[in-house]
Amino acid sequence: MSHSREDRARPDRGATAAAAEAVSGRPAVAAPRRLRITLGGTGMVLLGVIVLVALASPLLAPHDPHALSGAPFLPPGPGHPLGTDDIGHDILSVLLHGTRISVAFGLIAATIAIGVGAVAGLHAGYLGGVVDNVLMRVVDIVLVLPFLPLVLVVGAFLGPGLYTEIAVISAVMWARPARELRAQVLALRSAGWVEASVAMGAGRGHVLFRHLLPGIVPVLVPQFVEATKNAILAEASLSFLGLGDPTTMSWGTLLYHANARGALLTDAWLWWVLPAGLALGLTILALALTGFAVEELAKPRLARGTGRSFAPPERAAVTRREADARVVGQALLEIDRLTITYAGAGGSIAAVDDVRLAIGQGEVVALVGESGSGKTSLAAAVMRVLPGGARVPAGRVLFDGRDLLALSPVAMRALRGGRIALVPQNAMNALNPVIRIGPQIVEAIRAHRNVSAGEAREELGRLLLQVDLAPTVARAFPHELSGGMRQRVAIAMALANTPALIIADEPTTGLDVVAQVELLHLLRRLRDEHATSLILITHDIAVAAGCADRLVVMRNGQLIEEGDTERVVARPAHEYTMRLLAGVPRLTDPVDATALSDAGGYEGTDTSPVPGRGVDRGTGQAVLRVAGLRKTFAGPDGGRHTVLDGIDLEVAAAGITGLVGRSGIGKTTLARIVCGLEQADAGLVHLDGGATSPDGPTPVPRDRRHWLHLIFQDPYEALPPHWRVRDAVAEPLRVRGRESRAERAGRVRATLEAVSLVPADDFLDRYPHELSGGERQRVAFARALISEPRLIVADEPTSLLDAPLRAGLLRLLERLRSEYGIAVLYITHDLALARVFCDRIAILAEGRIVEEGPAQEIIARPRHPRAVELVSAARALDGTR
């Protein structure tokens, strides 16, 4: 099983972590990795020493801390290394025993506070509703409680003592972790792998303890270290002020007695006060540095630096010579022998290998290639947002005669988002989830233009209309928009300052064919009106052919073919380009037994022919029937927005029905209702001949959810990142609980082989980040297949994959349908794919199924205006008329 170089090497999905910075032009600040490692290691070593001293304090203490072992106020000497106090206690012995008390106090109080906070945060974030409202109001009250008065009141009621201090400090400290953990749970509960678990029938306990709790551990551990530090400091402060237990030998009590008995008025403070203060300070410092290191380990993205180390030390002198850059010919952008490497297990791997490319003023160049070919890394180098693991050992990137890799961060920031703009592929990562759309676009405008707030708001409205969005979208949060709408928002941000160069990384992914055509027209108009140059990065060669002046084909980090679009499409010179073209179905292609097998093999894909299309393969019995389904959502204007309005739809047993419609029209909402992830306002969902909601809008019963399975659009979000492949595939069986561990292991192996992941033993112990995009989606198919479902709901399962992978996975899905009799509800915006893959097509528009019938008939003779619009756009997109 082969892997692309970039999939094996890059530490994450690419440059999406820096997408927001690239869009807005604002910098991300992080400490150098070596400095963080040094500080974190120092803190952990220091903390380890303190813990050992606390454990061994009875052995290390030279005297009984309670005994009068010397004369009062003895200075440090052989028998008493830190002298004695005012009544003759050995201060070193008291200090060592105080270490045990103070460290134990911090650990106990932190454990209680974080435990209570974790339980509250998990339940508030996951259950929502009344539980969330009540818990968060309690958190609000606790956060505003005055600490010292609370200690006085509780102390007067319970009496002073160590347990009272623990109770009060824990009661105050749990609230902040609870709020932060709730926010983390809110993000996790909508993750693809969590929703897949819910859809397959997992109970609350399974979701909480198998998915959400492991997901918050990276946040929980640093919070525990922070809480321990705060508890130790709080105890010492309270004891020093006399609000603690004076009979307890903690560091705070030691300082209290020193202050109360006149140590600060004599030289005794040098051996009575200073050592205790230093011990307290060193412990706080050790915990702070350890928390810093633990947070880095828990969040690997922090450990990769800022991504600004573009050259090794030997090139440092060259990178400072910004004035040495020169313009070559008439090119606006010239990439000159650029090489980008990533650190791999076996050494450096070249994701971009000696690439030379020039882009003229007003030229549109499409960069085409399979996933992991180096396209995104090339774009990230131009934007200077490469991940920290990347290095540029050779090459230059010249823009308007200046080497971008040699510019200072300030100079680069002036260009980024202004003269050079990026449209990132994953728009959700480029948008701030807690800020409304309007302020984010206004920020992009004002970051590079000296305009008033009113002028920026006027420009905001124009930009939204330019990308076919209503002005009311400005008041929405990103999560309230569909994927296609979020992508258009990212495009509006890129257009805000009329840049000279736009880099569009898969800008049409997730958009319907009408939106794709409109977007390509918009980009061409910008080129014509403003002479804007465009780099269009895509795995869809049909999209590239409809927009680009030149096509550049990449594979394994190298440019293997380049030329005028018309020539490359009509007469490709390289075998790989031919395979890319063959893997893209067109509306005029004949529908026969090889419709999805022309692309050839790729990453172990099955190349066997599939049955002919154009006739219903179902048995006639409906495995899914939706009747009168209605769903509304609250809109950004405060009103109710009807998404689904009386949906009637059937999927025959062993048949494939394609659900097609524009982005944001409600296709995914319908799929989520079918799988029990959303609750309808009205209507019925009949599954396998039985009504799952006979008395109203209720979720699919848990004992029947294994009869259907949902496959998500994004293979990078479909699998639990903290689980190995064997655990992810076995989860449906574990939820059902009918097989032994040995039986589950055998079925996991067999299922992986059924989806062409062979040998299965090579994949069982891998984590999702160790798989390519195609392999991840195959594992997602295996999770669906192992539960022996009657129905698979596939929500755009191939839209993020390149043509060879897309064809291979559709062949796989067709084979699973044929061998196992599985029905498929296939949600897509790609009419050409739906034509060759589906028996029937249903067109969703205006909240209703406006047209339904055999796939060939719908494509050849659409009747409803919305169906005509979709088919016409698809024909325009692939060049047919």
Side-chain angles (χ1 to χ4, degrees), residues 62-105:
H63 301 280
D64 182 350
H66 300 282
L68 301 178
S69 56
F73 287 118
L74 284 177
H80 302 282
L82 292 181
T84 61
D85 61 14
D86 62 324
I87 59 175
H89 291 126
D90 181 71
I91 293 178
L92 177 60
S93 299
V94 175
L95 182 66
L96 290 173
H97 279 76
T99 302
R100 169 175 285 195
I101 296 297
S102 292
V103 171
F105 181 96

Side-chain angles (χ1 to χ4, degrees), residues 357 364-376 378 504-506 535-563 565 568-569 574 576-582 584 801-804 806:
L357 179 65
V364 179
V365 175
L367 203 56
V368 182
E370 67 197 27
S371 301
S373 61
K375 308 184 302 295
T376 297
L378 190 64
D505 189 359
E506 302 283 5
I535 300 177
L536 178 64
I537 299 174
T538 181
H539 59 247
D540 192 334
I541 204 165
V543 170
C547 180
D549 303 315
R550 275 192 299 139
L551 280 182
V552 177
V553 182
M554 287 192 72
R555 189 185 190 192
N556 292 335
Q558 297 179 334
L559 301 189
I560 62 171
E561 185 163 358
E562 179 180 359
T565 300
V568 173
V569 172
H574 198 280
Y576 174 72
T577 308
M578 299 178 192
R579 187 145 58 91
L580 281 179
L581 289 166
V584 180
L801 305 177
D802 54 74
R806 186 166 58 225

